[in-house]
Amino acid sequence: MRSPLAPGIRLITSFSRDSWYRGFILLLTFLFYTAYHLSRKPISIVKSELHRNCSTVIRPPGINITNNETWCDWMPFDQDNYQTLFGVLDNSFLVAYAIGMFISGIFGERLPLRYYLSFGMLTSGLFTCLFGLGFYWNIHSLGYYAFVQVMNGLMQTTGWPSVVACVGNWFGKGKRGFIMGVWNSHTSVGNILGSLIAGAFVSSAWGMSFIVPGLIIAFTGILCFFFLVEKPEDVNCSPPQHHSEKENEETEPLLQNVPNGNPTINGGVSAESPVTVHDHTEAISFTGALCIPGVVEFSLCLLFAKLVSYTFLYWLPLYISNVAHFEAKQAGDMSTLFDVGGILGGIFAGLVSDYTGGRASTCCVMLIAAAPMLFLYNSIGQRNLGTTIGMLLVCGGLVNGPYALITTAVSADLGTHESLRGNSRALSTVTAIIDGTGSIGAALGPLLAGLISPTGWNNVFYMLITADVLACLFLTRLVYKEVRGWCGRSSRARGIKDI
């Protein structure tokens, strides 16, 4: 008698070859961007070690101390303007990241993603390690650390447009919000792991807080080189359906092919009828990407949403340390709860937007809810441990939910917009425009926090609440359009029922 297949083998064979490849690419790109964020996090943990309250630190025997208040600080961060100096480090990275992001998407569509990502992760690992080596080389120059941050910021721009383009190539629009909501948890997972790794070394040898994450992202760069598959067609898998046949029939393409092979912007003069093809060899232009409906609105919304998220990313551990009087490691560990909330918020936003079809409305509702929660967190969030945990989880979900949705599902939707049918190479540029604009806010947030925090943390939170409201306002037109669409469908459904 022939025995049945083992349960594990039956499970393996129940999935198609395409499904296995899609799952593999999703896992691989998840690991890649987890490593990117993991290597960004150490600076926020190490800040509270670079400048400490030295009067509470036990002095090692045999050390000649000239200043009782700054003897344990790392020069040049032992000065009274240390918060401004921290702001210089943050913005050296973030301004370079914002500028480089607009260029990165253009390169990402013209270079093989496997090579581009591998190069970016290896060089980012190098500069992350160089920051940590400043501890062992006893470097006390602000210029050195600022230069390393600038170069790291530029190298980190290779990541986001490339991984979103890759995932967009493999997955269609149907469950994109949920899939990318789960997948986008790599941002928060990277922040959590980065906090834990940096926290493990921060009190003993803060240089290792950078060197270990640097080695990790360099290793993932090697994985990328050997295993990444950019498109399903490269391994004879079926490509995904990015939009429905009805959308294809009803929507006039923004980029059209004319018989001589030159694409023209919709509305341009052409004597011939447009011919739709399935793939372009020519990537979309920057201005062409801006013409895609919704790109400008979501980009400006992300500018303010990312301002809030990155202010928390870079300043939350120091805020917890100052207000709740936690040690550097404890403050870093506590700040990971904000990222845990971000994971849940991203998945929730993806599920709701898939079910309702309203990406903009989902973002707007969460942004509106985030504003009062930020006020409450600053007012009562440090009263006891339970309140702190609960408020960090809720604030993390409401702040990072819209940010995650815009940078993943929305970017992929717009980059494969039905008005671009025939052009499969717009996704990286669209993603770079949206995330690049958001990165301007990411640079402004920590900078403003550094300038405002000496006047009191209350003013920092007022700034964050204002940014949330502004982010919501930029989505007004798109929310109105989505609501009108829902009302129209509801009216048609009632009419059919009456007949």
Side-chain angles (χ1 to χ4, degrees):
M1 180 178 177
R2 187 177 180 180
S3 62
L5 285 174
I9 301 300
R10 288 204 304 271
L11 176 64
I12 292 173
T13 55
S14 66
F15 294 98
S16 67
R17 179 174 179 272
D18 284 13
S19 297
W20 279 111
Y21 264 107
R22 283 186 166 83
F24 175 70
I25 294 301
L26 202 67
L27 176 62
L28 205 59
T29 51
F30 181 94
L31 292 176
F32 293 163
Y33 214 69
T34 295
Y36 271 100
H37 257 264
L38 181 149
S39 64
R40 295 180 197 175
K41 187 64 178 178
I43 185 66
S44 66
I45 304 299
V46 172
K47 280 178 183 176
S48 53
E49 182 69 20
L50 297 177
H51 186 94
R52 308 166 65 187
N53 181 5
C54 297
S55 60
T56 63
V57 178
I58 300 175
R59 302 180 190 179
I63 291 183
N64 185 19
I65 297 173
T66 57
N67 191 320
N68 188 53
E69 295 182 356
T70 63
W71 68 269
C72 66
D73 297 337
W74 187 268
M75 293 186 296
F77 307 104
D78 57 343
Q79 304 172 32
D80 292 336
N81 65 338
Y82 69 96
Q83 289 179 320
T84 303
L85 299 182
F86 288 152
V88 170
L89 292 185
D90 293 342
N91 280 276
S92 296
F93 177 93
L94 293 169
V95 171
Y97 185 86
I99 295 171
M101 184 59 71
F102 290 102
I103 305 170
S104 179
I106 298 172
F107 281 114
E109 286 184 359
R110 289 159 175 82
L111 297 174
L113 291 181
R114 181 167 64 91
Y115 297 153
Y116 192 51
L117 268 172
S118 299
F119 169 78
M121 285 188 275
L122 287 169
T123 51
S124 182
L126 170 65
F127 288 109
T128 302
C129 289
L130 284 175
F131 197 108
L133 288 171
F135 172 80
Y136 295 99
W137 294 343
N138 203 30
I139 296 175
H140 297 278
S141 168
L142 179 65
Y144 170 83
Y145 295 109
F147 171 77
V148 170
Q149 287 285 84
V150 168
M151 295 306 299
N152 199 10
L154 291 173
M155 295 304 103
Q156 289 259 333
T157 61
T158 58
W160 191 241
S162 301
V163 294
V164 172
C166 189
V167 173
N169 288 338
W170 280 88
F171 291 88
K173 191 174 181 179
K175 297 295 182 183
R176 183 177 278 166
F178 172 69
I179 290 172
M180 285 195 155
V182 175
W183 175 76
N184 191 64
S185 63
H186 52 49
T187 300
S188 296
V189 171
N191 290 341
I192 293 169
L193 291 176
S195 297
L196 296 176
I197 292 172
F201 300 102
V202 65
S203 299
S204 55
W206 61 259
M208 293 301 295
S209 297
F210 291 90
I211 293 173
V212 173
L215 293 175
I216 291 173
I217 189 173
F219 175 73
T220 57
I222 297 172
L223 283 180
C224 176
F225 181 82
F226 282 102
F227 295 105
L228 182 66
V229 181
E230 181 179 341
K231 295 179 181 179
E233 297 90 330
D234 295 341
V235 286
N236 298 320
C237 290
S238 57
Q241 185 177 0
H242 290 299
H243 33 79
S244 66
E245 294 180 5
K246 183 178 179 181
E247 287 176 328
N248 284 337
E249 293 170 0
E250 295 180 352
T251 307
E252 190 175 6
L254 179 71
L255 291 179
Q256 299 175 340
N257 263 3
V258 294
N260 63 7
N262 295 322
T264 62
I265 298 296
N266 183 33
V269 178
S270 176
E272 303 290 340
S273 299
V275 178
T276 303
V277 296
H278 291 289
D279 194 18
H280 276 295
T281 57
E282 183 177 347
I284 191 173
S285 67
F286 187 85
T287 53
L290 286 175
C291 292
I292 300 171
V295 167
V296 173
E297 288 95 333
F298 276 114
S299 296
L300 293 174
C301 172
L302 186 62
L303 188 152
F304 290 100
K306 208 166 180 180
L307 183 153
V308 178
S309 180
Y310 267 65
T311 301
F312 274 96
L313 174 67
Y314 281 90
W315 286 90
L316 182 58
L318 186 62
Y319 170 77
I320 294 174
S321 179
N322 287 353
V323 176
H325 308 294
F326 284 8
E327 293 294 326
K329 185 180 184 305
Q330 294 173 320
D333 292 346
M334 185 66 69
S335 69
T336 61
L337 293 171
F338 184 85
D339 294 299
V340 173
I343 295 173
L344 301 176
I347 295 172
F348 175 78
L351 279 171
V352 172
S353 67
D354 276 344
Y355 179 77
T356 62
R359 308 284 200 213
S361 301
T362 303
C363 291
C364 194
V365 170
M366 295 184 77
L367 289 167
I368 291 172
M373 291 307 299
L374 291 175
F375 178 82
L376 287 175
Y377 173 65
N378 184 48
S379 301
I380 64 173
Q382 308 300 332
R383 288 189 175 179
N384 56 66
L385 185 61
T387 303
T388 301
I389 293 172
M391 295 295 290
L392 282 173
L393 290 171
V394 173
C395 288
L398 294 175
V399 168
N400 283 344
Y403 161 42
L405 186 62
I406 293 172
T407 54
T408 53
V410 169
S411 295
D413 289 351
L414 296 176
T416 56
H417 195 268
E418 58 268 17
S419 63
L420 291 169
R421 50 176 207 271
N423 188 341
S424 63
R425 304 182 66 192
L427 185 51
S428 185
T429 296
V430 170
T431 303
I433 290 173
I434 292 175
D435 200 50
T437 307
S439 297
I440 297 173
L444 287 174
L447 173 63
L448 292 174
L451 296 174
I452 296 172
S453 57
T455 67
W457 287 105
N458 287 344
N459 295 329
V460 174
F461 276 86
Y462 294 148
M463 179 266 290
L464 298 177
I465 292 168
T466 302
D468 254 333
V469 174
L470 289 173
C472 186
L473 290 177
F474 279 111
L475 295 180
T476 304
R477 186 186 71 84
L478 297 177
V479 171
Y480 176 71
K481 184 179 178 181
E482 289 176 354
V483 172
R484 281 190 61 186
W486 293 332
C487 293
R489 285 198 297 269
S490 178
S491 299
R492 287 195 297 272
R494 286 199 300 270
I496 293 171
K497 187 177 181 181
D498 291 341
I499 292 173

